Amino acid sequence: MSAPILEVENLRKYFPVRNLWKRRVGWLRALDDVSFAVQPGEILGIVGESGCGKSTLGKTLMGIHTATQGRILFQDQDIAPLKPHQSRKFRQHLQYCYQDPGASLDPRWTIRASLHEPLIVHTELGEAEREARVREILAAVGLPETHLDLYPHEISGGQQRRVGLARILTLKPSVVILDEPTSGLDVSVQATILKLFLSLQQQFGLTYLFVSHDLSVVRLICDRVAVMYLGRIVEIGETAQVFATPRHPYTQSLLAAIPKIGGARVTDTFSLEGEPPSPTNLPSGCRFRTRCPKAQPLCAEQDPALRADWPKQQAACHFAE
Amino acid sequence: MESDLIAVRDLRVAFASDAGLAKVLDGVSCSIRPGEIRGLVGESGCGKTTLARAILGILPPNSARIQGGQVLFGGRDLLTVPEAALAREVRGREIAYIPQDPSTAFNPVFTIGTQIADLMHWKSPLLRDPSFRGNARARREADLARVVEWLRLVQLPNPEALLRKYPHEVSGGQRQRLMIAMALLPEPKLVIADEPTTALDVTVQAQILKLLKGLARDRNVAVLFTTHDLGAAYEICDRITVMYAGQEVEEAPVAEFFNRPSHPYTRKLLDSLPSAETGLRGIPGEIPRLIDPPPGCRFNPRCERATEICQQRPPAELAGPGHSVRCHHRLTEFAA
């Protein structure tokens, strides 16, 4: 295995909870001791339900939120404590792609202006060099050069999405964080967008952090997957392993909830009750114990750490087998 | 048919836009039997929400034009019933609605209890009970007992405390449970659930589908379940109708539907679900513009099986009660 391209160690992001008089009355632990490493060229899926901290993770890596504690190692440098102007030269190689990248285009700018902007901000390139780079990227995302002089409202939603992606790629990033890139898309369109992601990854040697709640998509395109629950990674491993033999009871419930056409109906078999507790008021010990079918007294006392007891797979559970 | 709870016949709805009239529903026919859970599956823009809204009579009045057809329910054509009578007798009472996004369906400045009380004031089934006539207080108390019972039925913890909360204080899954309870409290015969689980996480979706299916079965309530998720449709539906570009293209009982999908569009829709066997397969092309749809079969520009006849003549409409397909070159043969 080569050296990881991005490494996260004990990352914490706590948001203060304040009362009416702005006094802090507690913490919302959105990320609590999250650690993982990403290898160059891999697609790491980050899955979990709303409120599990997967978007906070992406945003903290990007510096949109400052980390409360912990280290983010990128290009041999801890970028977590850096001030925005210090980290700018690192962050241009680390890009963030919103749910709908097309929606972040300025409606009053031509596509050309939008694509030139990141290069003007981050590089010293002259106009001709910038134009060459822009044309190269535009071809890569499958758009004709004639689109450069159009405005966002003159092209379709799918094309806007492609321009948004092109804009992220102009800076030649090495790691791209994709935040829910397929939610809100019809299945017939989703496949086209996913194929585009995969071909761009090949072409530019990208590494993806694929944040999603859609497990069937993650299963198809991710090399490894991390399952999050209430600010913790509860299971991480190779996608095939995790989907074939999920070890953590939460992962098992999550996989059992996906409807399988032709199989047993989830409405007949699904048994997980309740909803996640509030992240401002976490249970003691294991966070999943309030809903866990395997919970024992030990779970209330001790918070389980990730155990690497299985090949290519780790789970944070006292009783996982 | 006599036994149908609701029958939509040849419904045509168009929306006025600057570019012309978009025919969003083009001759849709569909009937639902009492107690049946019917899936209405299709992608964005296929007209499934418009059909649901047309049945409820809540199409946007400024842009929607009903150009023809009937919605037969309880011996009347709902399209000809005056709005006041529709609001008083049908909507929310006989036909209830569960919205896609439960967070925007509540009024944020009133408590949940106030909003349910308002619903019961107008739509309580006890209003029809002669023993409560002239005794509003007794009716309100009986209503409250029913509300609490229903909140327990949809598995909401601590119902009395919940009634004093505001909508933002409960989770998305709980809001959708409340919506289901509020839809079923007036004892409707038909519930229209418009993508009720799209905004929810997969474990909550499983819980909500289980709940909806159980309650509809126990009370013999018919459900029109619109979704773009074939997996969710497989979970709870008895019959499935697939729509494409304003027309129904295939209809079949659920087992038959998934065993022998027969319209090329249905087939491609099933194949584009991400799975290990099929990999990533989309459907090339885009859905047609409804202002000037392609002549003949509307799917012909994207269809591999299309021949000359597909461009010239639209295929015959769905025939009915068994497995029927609107296509010149359907994929399987079967007894009609």
Side-chain angles (χ1 to χ4, degrees), chain B:
Chain B
M1 232 187 301
E2 289 303 306
S3 62
D4 286 340
L5 175 68
I6 186 165
V8 177
R9 299 247 172 90
D10 198 31
L11 185 63
R12 292 170 195 278
V13 176
F15 281 87
S17 73
D18 293 340
L21 273 183
K23 291 173 193 141
V24 176
L25 292 182
D26 196 11
V28 171
S29 300
C30 158
S31 55
I32 302 175
R33 283 189 284 270
E36 177 183 46
I37 304 182
R38 166 68 63 90
L40 191 60
V41 181
E43 298 182 279
S44 333
C46 73
K48 55 189 191 299
T49 298
T50 304
L51 178 58
R53 291 178 153 233
I55 292 173
L56 283 161
I58 51 170
L59 289 169
N62 292 326
S63 54
R65 310 256 188 287
I66 297 173
Q67 297 182 312
Q70 290 177 307
V71 177
L72 300 172
F73 179 82
R76 333 185 248 189
D77 179 3
L78 294 187
L79 297 179
T80 61
V81 174
E83 168 61 25
L86 205 59
R88 193 171 59 241
E89 294 158 23
V90 178
R91 197 186 302 139
R93 171 103 35 100
E94 300 273 301
I95 304 179
Y97 181 65
I98 299 174
Q100 173 174 3
D101 184 358
S103 53
T104 53
F106 281 103
N107 186 333
V109 302
F110 293 107
T111 60
I112 289 163
T114 311
Q115 296 182 57
I116 297 184
D118 194 34
L119 171 82
M120 298 318 285
H121 177 77
W122 297 103
K123 308 284 181 189
S124 166
L126 301 183
L127 290 169
R128 280 169 279 183
D129 187 339
S131 61
F132 289 107
R133 190 155 294 153
N135 192 350
R137 175 175 293 181
R139 201 200 81 230
R140 277 201 294 274
E141 277 166 17
D143 272 339
L144 178 65
R146 280 190 74 237
V147 168
V148 170
E149 184 202 325
W150 265 95
L151 296 190
R152 287 217 175 83
L153 278 176
V154 295
Q155 291 152 28
L156 282 164
N158 210 348
E160 287 89 351
L162 194 68
L163 290 175
R164 286 191 291 275
K165 286 189 179 176
Y166 287 88
H168 73 269
E169 295 178 289
V170 304
S171 71
Q174 291 188 339
R175 279 195 289 257
Q176 197 58 292
R177 286 167 195 273
L178 280 166
M179 275 293 150
I180 292 176
M182 287 172 77
L184 291 172
L185 264 165
E187 297 179 354
K189 297 196 182 84
L190 172 67
V191 171
I192 295 178
D194 191 9
E195 307 234 14
T197 58
T198 306
L200 303 176
D201 284 315
V202 49
T203 58
V204 183
Q205 164 174 300
Q207 293 170 352
I208 295 285
L209 290 177
K210 190 174 177 176
L211 182 71
L212 188 61
K213 187 179 183 179
L215 289 174
R217 286 273 180 280
D218 292 348
R219 284 166 178 74
N220 201 32
V221 176
V223 179
L224 179 67
F225 178 80
T226 76
T227 183
H228 64 270
D229 182 355
L230 283 162
Y234 171 76
E235 288 294 330
I236 73 165
C237 297
D238 301 314
R239 283 178 79 80
I240 292 181
T241 304
V242 177
M243 287 188 68
Y244 180 76
Q247 299 175 329
E248 341 82 293
V249 294
E250 179 158 7
E251 184 184 320
V254 63
E256 169 78 10
F257 180 86
F258 286 107
N259 283 339
R260 298 199 300 168
S262 298
H263 195 284
Y265 174 66
T266 312
R267 184 80 237 195
K268 282 184 180 282
L269 206 57
L270 282 164
D271 283 345
S272 59
L273 293 176
S275 80
E277 295 86 53
T278 55
L280 284 174
R281 272 197 239 162
I283 305 180
E286 289 179 6
I287 53 169
R289 280 157 45 90
L290 295 171
I291 293 169
D292 45 358
C297 170
R298 292 195 167 183
F299 190 58
N300 86 66
R302 301 172 79 183
C303 185
E304 290 155 5
R305 300 167 71 89
T307 54
E308 221 168 278
I309 187 172
C310 302
Q311 291 168 21
Q312 289 163 353
R313 204 153 53 81
E317 287 178 20
L318 292 193
H323 184 169
S324 65
V325 182
R326 181 182 267 189
C327 181
H328 291 299
H329 306 288
R330 61 191 184 198
L331 296 163
T332 55
E333 285 307 318
F334 43 78

